[in-house]
Amino acid sequence: ARLVDRGVLHRVAHGYYILIPPDHVGRTWLPGLEVAAAGIASSIYGPDQIVVMGISAARMLGAVPRALATAVVAVPRQHRPIELTDRPARVRFVRRDTEALDAERVDTPLGPVLVTTPEQTVLDLAGRPELGNAEAEVRPAVETLYRSSDPARLAQLATDQRRGSALRRAESWAGHGHR
């Protein structure tokens, strides 16, 4: 409580605190939702066992411009959602084989975080567009990420993960459907 009062720690959820970056100590500071979610998930499972995915990965990859109210993180074992206390938002955990996800490290203000690649994110969004309660953002995000994706890598991931229907949906949304 003293560290929160001194502006060194930020309480993000019940039982979860984030160390405020030194250049923000003593000032009003709010971590990004996706970064906060990654921090919470990392504290539960370890930083190499979690991957920011779905609509949250799309946001971190620059394909979703507006802030969202739900962050989605892939984890090795299921966990109940966590409501944040510093804003009206929640962290949604999705049980996945995180080692099998195509992910890359992305630098954030709070340190590096594993985030699904554009190709993996396209498949995840097209496969489960309702995940993350941001359906209106999904199709534009898929269209944006599809344009920057490697088609061969996308096809290989879809084959390896048995996500052919997700790939076909993404292709049709991006205007590249098979005729």
Side-chain angles (χ1 to χ4, degrees):
R2 285 190 306 250
L3 293 174
V4 170
D5 290 341
R6 289 190 8 221
V8 176
L9 286 180
H10 174 80
R11 182 175 185 241
V12 69
H14 181 70
Y16 296 95
Y17 296 83
I18 294 176
L19 188 61
I20 296 175
D23 54 329
H24 289 64
V25 169
R27 299 188 319 201
T28 301
W29 178 79
L30 188 67
L33 173 60
E34 295 77 16
V35 176
I40 290 170
S42 292
S43 73
I44 298 167
Y45 299 100
D48 294 328
Q49 299 297 310
I50 67 105
V51 181
V52 176
M53 65 166 281
I55 199 68
S56 297
R59 176 130 169 80
M60 290 186 75
L61 294 170
V64 176
R66 72 176 185 88
L68 303 171
T70 301
V72 183
V73 184
V75 294
R77 291 175 312 283
Q78 193 58 50
H79 194 286
R80 65 176 172 65
I82 292 179
E83 300 292 330
L84 301 190
T85 56
D86 63 352
R87 70 193 94 185
R90 72 178 359 197
V91 179
R92 171 107 188 258
F93 300 94
V94 178
R95 187 174 159 271
R96 300 276 302 264
D97 178 357
T98 55
E99 306 252 334
L101 293 174
D102 194 34
E104 57 194 8
R105 283 204 188 277
V106 172
D107 288 325
T108 76
L110 300 178
V113 172
L114 285 171
V115 178
T116 54
T117 61
E119 294 85 359
Q120 181 72 61
T121 304
V122 163
L123 293 175
D124 289 345
L125 289 173
R128 291 183 71 185
E130 77 291 346
L131 186 61
N133 301 324
E135 291 92 338
E137 308 294 334
V138 170
R139 189 170 175 159
V142 167
E143 292 169 356
T144 298
L145 292 170
Y146 188 93
R147 284 194 298 274
S148 65
S149 292
D150 174 355
R153 182 75 186 136
L154 198 51
Q156 187 62 54
L157 283 173
T159 299
D160 293 349
Q161 297 176 7
R162 297 185 180 108
R163 314 259 329 251
S165 61
L167 177 58
R168 287 187 295 281
R169 181 179 295 135
E171 288 171 339
S172 72
W173 288 351
H176 295 283
H178 297 293
R179 302 205 187 330

